[in-house]
Amino acid sequence: MTRPDEEQPAQVLLAQQAGAIPERWLWVKRSAWTMRMLTTLEQGIKGGKWFRLIDKVHSEKNLLAAFTQVAAKDGASGVDHMTVEEFQERLPERISAIEAEIRLRSYKPQSIRRVHIPKPGTNETRPLGIPTVRDRVVQAAVLNVIEPIFERDFAEHSYGFRPGRGCKDALRRVGNLLKAGYTHVVDADLKGYFDTIPHARLMSRLEEKIADGPLLALIEKFLKASILDGMEEWAPVKGAPQGAVLSPLLSNIYLNPLDHMMAGKGFEMVRYADDFVILCRSAEEAAMALEEIRVWVQENDLVLHPTKTKVIDAKAEGFDFLGYHFHKAGYKWPREKSLKKFKDTIRMKTIRSNGLSIEAIIANVNRTLRGWYEYFKHCKRWIFERLDQWIRRRLRSIMRGYNGLSGISRGGRDNQRWPSAFFDGLGLFSLLDAHIRECQSSSR
């Protein structure tokens, strides 16, 4: 199989970051890793396995760093109802107690509180697990220690939940492959992936690089922590709950053999967590790739979604990936579910009876607009133009209410009363203007 000229040869490419060890491993937490350890990591440890790691996990320095990481993300409280702020009130005492429990092998995770959040554009919900602050701190401490060990050997085409990588890198890779003629796409969907990861197989993959029994036992305790869903509580026999600090890394560890297998067979795979596509030059190649995926998934006790997994001719029809819709004509825009989620958010922030001033409403709307634009700024101009018009129309409806007028704005005189310049003066973020500035900057 021929690859595009600008890409690297089809082989298992390990994550490469240019420069000396301090640059390549700049993201590594120095609370858990010394320069000597990093040198060993770079050169490869003898026997391929790491011993005596548990003391790095429960060191006071690492636990305090882990709390800082958890506090930065804040997050909801777990089954004990303790907030990050409440945990911090007695931080030295709590860190000391955690250190002793891990050192004495008596640490026991609390139950995980399960909530169900809606899936955008569907009537379905996604289960989200919320550990206690205490457990999040310990998981972060474990993550600080083990992440570099596995990151070293992750495949190049894996982008999700990895240092220095993200959705935009994956999307750029997909775009380059499409332009190079890889237009037959295997759109694969792992059904309920995070809830179906087999514990025994996952632990075996951890044991390939870690030979520290107490650390492995601690990770297994987190996997087997009971789930509290409303009034029902049970012990999971598989899965790594979404929302837990360790779950993203564990999910990548479990799929890493798939990454290397597909790359080794010459297939162009782009994966972000459990969302991945394989781009091929022909329908026959795509069928072969899908069969390889089917076999591996079955052998590893996972399930492909029967209707969402399919082969697509990108020249004849579009496909969705990471929030974007890749159109058959060669450009992309937000997929339907992404647009619906965006509009639902704006609608909630522009309810006419919310009692806020127009300035406060615009400031709140701007927070959504800036973040949304930063992710979707590579769309065609008309997307931003239409959304700007729609947002201003909702704001004009609010202005009608302020001025004692009933009904929603339908243009006409409202556009004259409150033209675009009026909202510009109030600081409304314009998606179209931001896009124009981006294009001008790129052309220069």
Side-chain angles (χ1 to χ4, degrees), residues 317-380:
E317 56 179 316
F319 66 97
D320 295 338
F321 186 58
L322 298 182
Y324 273 93
H325 177 76
F326 288 82
H327 191 262
K328 60 184 179 181
Y331 48 87
K332 59 183 181 289
W333 57 63
R335 68 172 185 167
E336 186 176 334
K337 290 181 181 179
S338 299
L339 275 176
K340 183 180 185 303
K341 181 180 179 181
F342 170 75
K343 287 190 169 185
D344 286 347
T345 301
I346 297 297
R347 286 189 183 100
M348 288 298 297
K349 293 188 174 189
T350 54
I351 296 174
R352 285 184 288 167
S353 58
N354 60 20
L356 298 175
S357 68
I358 190 65
E359 291 84 359
I361 292 172
I362 287 176
N364 192 22
V365 165
N366 280 349
R367 284 190 280 272
T368 296
L369 295 179
R370 288 192 175 97
W372 191 87
Y373 174 76
E374 185 59 31
Y375 188 75
F376 288 105
K377 62 184 178 183
H378 302 292
C379 297
K380 287 294 184 179

Side-chain angles (χ1 to χ4, degrees), residues 42-56:
E42 180 75 11
Q43 296 174 349
I45 193 167
K46 185 178 180 180
K49 292 190 177 186
W50 289 79
F51 295 80
R52 296 188 295 276
L53 294 173
I54 192 66
D55 60 314
K56 307 294 189 301

Side-chain angles (χ1 to χ4, degrees), residues 169-236:
D169 301 301
L171 291 165
R172 189 178 302 111
R173 174 76 173 147
V174 170
N176 288 341
L177 288 167
L178 288 170
K179 290 176 184 176
Y182 289 72
T183 56
H184 293 268
V185 182
V186 179
D187 186 0
D189 185 278
L190 292 172
K191 187 175 181 181
Y193 172 62
F194 280 86
D195 286 334
T196 57
I197 301 174
H199 288 172
R201 285 180 177 270
L202 174 59
M203 292 305 302
S204 294
R205 280 165 202 177
L206 289 165
E207 291 165 7
E208 291 173 5
K209 294 182 182 295
I210 296 175
D212 186 313
L215 175 54
L216 291 168
L218 180 60
I219 294 172
E220 191 167 20
K221 285 181 181 179
F222 281 117
L223 289 173
K224 296 186 180 301
S226 61
I227 307 292
L228 181 63
D229 190 347
M231 299 299 294
E232 185 180 359
E233 185 171 4
W234 76 92

